[in-house]
């Protein structure tokens, strides 16, 4: 199994756990749990999603971005850099 | 059906849609989709979760917080106010 | 001196320190400091601003929001609650 | 004047304007302005700081990061990539 496949398996496991977490929050809502407890669980899911995003961005910088920056195609270099900035920006709004 | 039940049904529907979205992201990872496309979908899920948090906080301010602030128990008033601040803080880190 | 005046003095001192911090960042830029060091200082300023926001929101919940919610004017109650939600939302985008 | 100098002048001008904005907020506090108006101004300063961060990160990706990734020093490549991830992470907490 290639390294990337192993990494993908890890990411999918984390996303499955996040999916289960979201299902748990539905149950909390259905059972009229305390609002603040629900909001705290939602924030926990968001933190878990941030970790997945960071792992993917880490992989991306080591692969596509590195390849593009080492390549000779200036347009492609610009494209990958501006994509990374957009992701950063979407966070920081 | 009480108004709260209707609201809960709406929230659960939104959370089910978020759960499906997370499942879709797993599929993207399994199919080796482009990293930035995956990160964008994760950020879309986080935005959808923010809307759910805001809806719950809205309900909370109109119910528990209003009851506590109108009540005579100063400790309880402090408790609900400090919970709201904590939620705000967790966002703003 | 009223309690609020004391609190205001504290907030103003913190904002003066933030102002000095921003001036320091200008100097870093002028002296061509390392980009990441500058970005880290900007994030430190944003964290300091978050603390000021939280302190002001804390005060606001204990004063205006409490008065409005205890009052008989339903429109005013709605107004203060929706303002708090807007502040929360602006954070969470 | 080198291109970088021109860019630095622009950044410094933006930071001077942010500094003035922070001074304006001190005045609002001193004059007992409405809490929510003050918090809104703080959030506007934070948005302006985000724009400065993004501009610096943009420059950084085009210069130091590009140089390091094109270079032969694997440790240095790792260092710049992990710095970019840290900045992203500090945002996303």
């Amino acid at each position: 199994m290639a390294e990337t496949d192993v990494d993908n398996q890890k990411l999918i496991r984390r996303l499955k756990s996040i999916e289960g977490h979201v299902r748990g929050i539905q149950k909390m809502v259905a059972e009229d749990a305390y609002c603040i407890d629900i909001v705290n669980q939602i924030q926990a899911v968001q933190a878990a999603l941030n970790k997945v995003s960071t792992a993917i961005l880490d992989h991306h910088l080591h692969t596509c971005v590195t390849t593009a920056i080492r390549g000779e195609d200036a347009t492609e270099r610009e494209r990958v850099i501006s994509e990374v900035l957009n992701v950063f920006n979407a966070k920081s709004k």
Side-chain angles (χ1 to χ4, degrees), chain A:
Chain A
M1 209 191 267
E3 171 142 12
T4 303
D5 290 337
V6 178
D7 284 354
N8 278 359
Q9 290 312 314
K10 246 197 242 171
L11 285 179
I12 291 172
R13 261 202 309 279
R14 283 211 236 167
L15 287 162
K16 267 191 205 307
S17 140
I18 287 167
E19 186 196 331
H21 206 152
V22 172
R23 237 179 346 253
I25 296 170
Q26 290 164 36
K27 221 180 141 206
M28 289 177 83
V29 173
E31 291 169 356
D32 259 323
Y34 186 53
C35 300
I36 295 293
D37 292 340
I38 302 175
V39 171
N40 287 343
Q41 289 310 311
I42 291 176
Q43 293 184 333
V45 166
Q46 291 177 308
L49 287 168
N50 274 329
K51 283 195 186 166
V52 175
S53 279
T54 303
I56 293 173
L57 203 60
D58 187 340
H59 178 75
H60 185 58
L61 290 168
H62 282 94
T63 55
C64 310
V65 174
T66 294
T67 305
I69 285 181
R70 300 197 132 204
E72 291 313 313
D73 182 344
T75 314
E76 176 65 4
R77 281 205 302 272
E78 276 313 304
R79 201 184 57 77
V80 296
I81 287 179
S82 98
E83 277 177 349
V84 170
L85 284 172
N86 283 343
V87 164
F88 177 77
N89 242 337
K91 280 280 160 210
S92 65
K93 249 184 295 184

